[in-house]
Structure formats: C-alpha cells, structure tokens
Amino acid sequence: MTQALIAKTKLADLVSFLASCGKVVGPVPLGHGQFKFAEVSSLAEMALDYIPTILPPKKYFMPQYETLLRYDGADGQQMQAVVEVEELVLFGVHTCDLAGIQCLNVVFSDRPRDLHYMIRKNHITLIGLECSDYCDGFASCAMLRNHLPKGGYDLFFSELSDGYFVDIKTHKGEQLVEESGLFEPVSDAAREQLQELRRSKKQIFRSEVPIRYQDIPRLFDETFDSDVWTRIGEKCLSCGNCTNVCPTCY
Amino acid sequence: MTIPASLYAPRPCRLLETSDLTPQEKLFRLQLADDTSLGHQPGQFIQLSLPGLTEAPISIASSPTRGPVFELGVRRAGRLTSALHQLAPGATIGIRGPFGRPFQLDALRSGPLLLIAGGCGLAPLRSLIQYCQDRPEEFGAVHILYGARSPADLMFKDDLAVWQRSDRLDCRTTVDRTPAASCYDGDTGLLPELLSRLDFDPTDCRAVLVGPPPMYRPVIAELRRLGLDGDRRIMLSLERQMRCGVGKCGHCSIEHLSCCSDGPVFWLEEVENLRGAL
C-alpha cells in the first residue's frame, strides 16, 4: 500500500494511538497568533491551521543544546561520544519545513557524516500536512516550489472533504498505517478530490515575487553589494540566533 | 546511547614542553596520548580544546617528517589560549583533526620556492620549511621571506637563525620598525620591498603565502610584477574562524568554499575572485 485514506472523524483516534506509542509533537497555539511545535497527547491540543512556528521543527533534529561527548576529568579526558535520542512522531509538518529538513539531511549525510544527526533522524517519524491555501501573507513557498510535497516524510496528509488522503513514503509509515487500524483503501472519489485540490492550488499558489526560480542564485550574486544588506546588517548584533529560527540554517 | 566515533570527539594529547616564542606567543610540543602519529601534512590545522573552554583552530607548526611529536605556535589572544599558556608539561589537551587541504607538495617540487610569511603565518609555513629541510633532494632553491611588526615580534627566532646559517636555505626577515637600541640586523620595510630586492629565477618558481589579510594583495602584486603570473604559481593559506573543521557548520565559508575543508590552502586563482577571500 502506498496510499491510504483516513476519515476526519478518526484523526483524533490516530493522534491518541500515536501518543500511546510514544512522544508526539505537533503545532500548538501560543496565543497572539503564534505557534510552536510541542508535545501533545490529543488532537484537540493542536492547531493544524497554524502559520510557521517560532522555531522550526528542526529543533528536534538539531537541538539547541545537546550532549555530544561524556568524559571523566580524572580519566585523562578520554571522551565517549554519545547521541541523545528519543522516539518521536512529528505531526502536521508543512511542506516548507519538510523542505528545510531535507536540506539539513543533505548537509549532515554528506561525508564525513554527522552520526549524531543521522542517528537522531532515524528515531523521528515525520507526518506531513499539505497546505490548501496560504498560511499567511509572508509565505514564499511557491517561489521556492515548496508548496507541494516533494518527499522527506514517512506519511503525508492532504485534506479532502471528509478525510485525509495519505501518501505513504516509507516502511515506517506503512507500519504505522497498518498497526493503527484506522486507515482505509483509497477510493476513486478521493483520488479525484486530491487532483482537484492540486488544480486549485495551482491557481492560488503563484510565485510571490516576480522572479524565476532558476534566477534566484544569480540574483543573490548580483545584489551582493546592495544597500539592502547594509541596512539589514546595521540591525545585526552577530548573535547568531537567526540560525535557530531559520529552517535550513545549521 | 554511546557511539563508536564522532566528528566532534577530541583526542587527548600530552603536553611535553613549552617555550616562549615572543612575549605573546608560545611553542607547545605535544604528542597524542596513545603515542600514535598525528598523521598530518604541512599546511593542515587542528582544533584544540580544553575542558570547560571552547575550541580554536591552530595551525600545525612542525613537519610530519619529525616523528610523532608535533608543535603548535599559539598567540595568547582569548580565554582558551590564555589558559593554554598557563599549562605546564604533563597537562592533557584535546585535539581534533588534522583537518584541511595541505600545501600541494607535488606542485612545489618543480622549481625554486618563495615561502613568504607575515606575523603568525610563519607557524604553518614552518611545517613546510621543515619538510623541505628534511627532504632537500625533493626541492629546488628555497627562499624564506618573513615579515613582522618589530624584532620582538619575530616568531621562531632559533629556527630563523638556523635557516639563515643553512647552505640550502635563503632566509630573510623584515620588520615594520626597528627600535633604536635593537641589535636586529635584518631588513626594515614591508614584504613587497624585501621581495623586490630578491635575486631569483622566476621560471618554474612557485610562491607560498601565509599571513594576515592585508599582506596578500601587495605581495601578490609584487610577485606578478616579478614574473609569477598564470595559474598554479601562487599558493596561499587563508585564516578564518573554523569551527567544525569538516565543512558542515559554515562559519568559515568563502562564497561556495569552506575554508576548513576546501582550504585553508588554495591556489590564488581558486579564491582571487571570491568576495571577501583576500
């Protein structure tokens, strides 16, 4: 099975099932229109219509603090490399954040491999969620062609009228579908609804800035000396915290 | 969970000996705690660490031809290096590496060499100079040109004296200024001036530059004027804030290049047109 359906009425049961198996993290409201990824135990705690969270889900792949090594000072600084891991399901990740995680995967799986990242990644199950419309007025996902799913997940949910069309990408995702017992085979009507959703998105998601995708590297290159960077640089404290909020920085 | 290896795990080293190079710089003789060889090549660097403090990239100042003991010339500049300067022989120091692209020895064997260093740049270049000393049959004439701010700032004075006495090496120093009471008998002025007075055959000559950023452009201009033009004639080692050492973290990026893994040694033409490189 590479695709499945789940009824909207069963989504709460799915989250409860996942929470009974281990830690589940999803988008939760913080108030004032802000959201964050945090541990949840039920669907009701989540806000699936969230805008990008304050910190991207990258924080579970690259924690802001982590123990890399343990050593005993009395033992001549003999270091023991360690990885802090926990089984985790990341629920409701949008395609923009999935794209960010895919960028990180490239960097850290490139030789020499970062074993800390690679091992932790294998303990995280990613469940993506498709945006049917823009989440806010600052999105630039269409310009970067990340408004559509391009892999990097175990399961990917697209909302239909009564349920979710689920793309199953990995063996881990397939196991989850089978063990929960909450999914059903895809119907022709569901396939048609998914195609309609994608047609509709073609009309909604247009490149937010009037430039061509393939020109972006050249444009950055040619505007290296622009006053824009001077103005932004004047505000910069060189604290490096921007790398925490960026989904692709490391 | 524990893992067998990590990119970020330092190896313990024993501090064997220290000696003063200048009032700000010390030489540290080290050996890996397991007595194995570091396995480095001239031009590479290590990440040095002390427990509770940070890491810092330090060039290896000795040649692999000198056995498993290796040396670092370190300026006292911050918390880590100040703590390092306080250590006594017998202390344990952590290192990661060796990292980076070394000097391209094969390309340096074809003709005369101009080895040009400014300030602390003599530390990595010393590794190459020792290599040339130990394998003289592999190299042509070697000219060493070293510039510092004052006679007191000249690093590796004992080595300089040995190199100046050597029949195989031509070693010259220059300083920006000489105090009145100094017994310094080298040149005064900037490196391009010293270079302009050098008598050498530019045919098949290669130059290697290591020094502070303001040194590069005037020295490169003088080298070109003297005939070192074209590709693979001038090799340089760039200094950046390396952190991970393996090309992942981006701290030492020069456009698309990572100084720590694509460098720190580059041919001039590889970096000359990259913004912020020189």
Side-chain angles (χ1 to χ4, degrees), chain A residues 83 110 112 114 116 221 250, chain B residues 1 3 6 8 51 92 248 275:
Chain A
V83 185
D110 197 14
D114 185 315
H116 302 268
D221 200 44
Y250 47 88
Chain B
M1 72 165 67
I3 55 176
S6 165
Y8 312 114
T92 302
K248 298 227 181 275
R275 283 167 297 216

Side-chain angles (χ1 to χ4, degrees), chain A residues 153-171:
Chain A
Y153 50 81
D154 297 289
L155 296 174
F156 189 79
F157 285 40
S158 303
E159 188 176 3
L160 309 179
S161 55
D162 297 325
Y164 290 89
F165 189 101
V166 180
D167 187 39
I168 305 168
K169 206 70 171 176
T170 64
H171 178 63

